[in-house]
Amino acid sequence: MTLSLFLACVWAVAANVLAMLPSRDNHWRRAYLLIGSGLPLLVYVVWENGPWIGLIVLLAGMSVLRWPLRYLWRWLRLRLGFGE
């Protein structure tokens, strides 16, 4: 296992542990921290392992951060005129 995949697994475990802890702001600060650390890690995974493994890691990260992605999707649709 490469270092980048090991770090991606550590990121996934940390994300799940952070999700289990109670939060007053519905985990948004933690989500920002995970996004900020996950994007460079994703670039590192793609650089070291190739785009297909990177796509798998991206999908795993998207499954963990699904609520921020839903809000981003809704915001983009409203900004681009495909709104609700």
Side-chain angles (χ1 to χ4, degrees), residues 1-2 23 32 36 42 48 54 69 73 82:
M1 179 184 288
T2 61
S23 173
Y32 294 141
L42 179 64
E48 196 167 61
L69 282 173
W73 179 251
F82 301 112

Side-chain angles (χ1 to χ4, degrees), residues 1-2 7-8 11 20 22-23 32 34 40 55 57-58 64 68-69 75 77:
M1 179 184 288
T2 61
L7 292 174
W11 182 92
M20 286 188 264
S23 173
Y32 294 141
L34 289 170
L55 181 63
V57 172
L58 174 67
V64 172
L69 282 173
W75 181 80
R77 281 185 19 209

Side-chain angles (χ1 to χ4, degrees), residues 12-28:
V13 170
N16 283 298
V17 169
L18 289 174
M20 286 188 264
L21 299 174
S23 173
R24 290 180 186 222
D25 66 345
N26 290 328
H27 304 285
W28 280 104

Side-chain angles (χ1 to χ4, degrees), residues 1-10 48-49:
M1 179 184 288
T2 61
L3 177 62
S4 62
L5 288 179
F6 175 74
L7 292 174
C9 290
V10 170
E48 196 167 61
N49 298 294

Side-chain angles (χ1 to χ4, degrees), residues 27-67:
H27 304 285
W28 280 104
R29 283 189 211 138
R30 296 172 191 169
Y32 294 141
L33 175 72
L34 289 170
I35 292 168
S37 62
L39 288 176
L41 183 59
L42 179 64
V43 171
Y44 183 40
V45 168
V46 170
W47 178 69
E48 196 167 61
N49 298 294
W52 291 110
I53 302 298
L55 181 63
I56 293 170
V57 172
L58 174 67
L59 292 174
M62 288 171 62
S63 72
V64 172
L65 296 169
R66 60 188 168 270
W67 280 106

